[in-house]
Amino acid sequence: MNGNAPSRPERAADTVARHIETLILEGSLRPGVPLLPERELALKLNVSRPTLRDALQSLEKRGFLTSREGKGVKVAQIGATTITDPLIAMLSERSEVADDYLEFRDVVESSAAALAAQRANEPEIQRIKECVLKIEAAHKANNPIEEADADAEMHIAIYEASHNLVILQIMRALSENLRTDVLHNRRRLFAIPYVRDLLRDQHIAIAQAIIDRKPEAAQSAAHEHLSYLRQASREIREAEEKLEISLRRLESGGLSTSKS
């Protein structure tokens, strides 16, 4: 076979699949987002419907898309399905991993915030501003659940604004797989008024440093925020452990007919 022979041109379906894959990788198409109906999507991509079907089937086989009869096609929850190692499953079930996870987030998010301050474009700056407005609105409405959700949305926005695709995809995947204990503690924290005030101020400080294009200030603000989350979460766990011990003592560990 001639080593200098030209390679075959890429099929139209492969080109479409690669384009959609790139949009997913860069975060333009987020997990769970529905795609346009087939007719509209084919027009948008300027391809025939058979070519589009071929591309979508290829992406679905590779786990990028999901489809249900009558429900259309959606971007797969890649973050929740790609990291399926038994170690990750074990970590997600262990409360003691929360501190290590927050320490890891501190390292990564401090850098991501600094990168975002350097690299964020105007649409990304606008999204971060919108996240802050959501945080402030939920805070004013005394809605800790919505405030916690807006908090999570802002962190994803910062990952995206860092323009580091590895940070974006790894952190999105980990946040989906390890969120149970961490999210549980976060919502508890948002239920404490003075803590909510402090967390709101910390998020505003991170966002403002990014908006003002101050990488060092953004890195410092993110580090302060994650350090506080680690300390507060640690105190919650320690208080719960002490309470559980006290209750066991009152019940003699549940293994005796007598009470302490």
Side-chain angles (χ1 to χ4, degrees), residues 110 113 202-203 205-207 209 215-226:
S110 296
Q202 289 173 351
H203 285 110
I206 297 169
E216 291 184 6
Q219 186 171 22
S220 177
H223 171 65
E224 181 180 344
H225 171 58
L226 269 300

Side-chain angles (χ1 to χ4, degrees), residues 237-251:
R237 287 194 304 277
E238 289 173 354
E240 289 180 341
E241 288 168 2
K242 289 177 181 177
L243 178 60
E244 288 174 3
I245 291 172
S246 296
L247 292 174
R248 285 200 299 271
R249 285 173 180 158
L250 287 173
E251 298 294 332

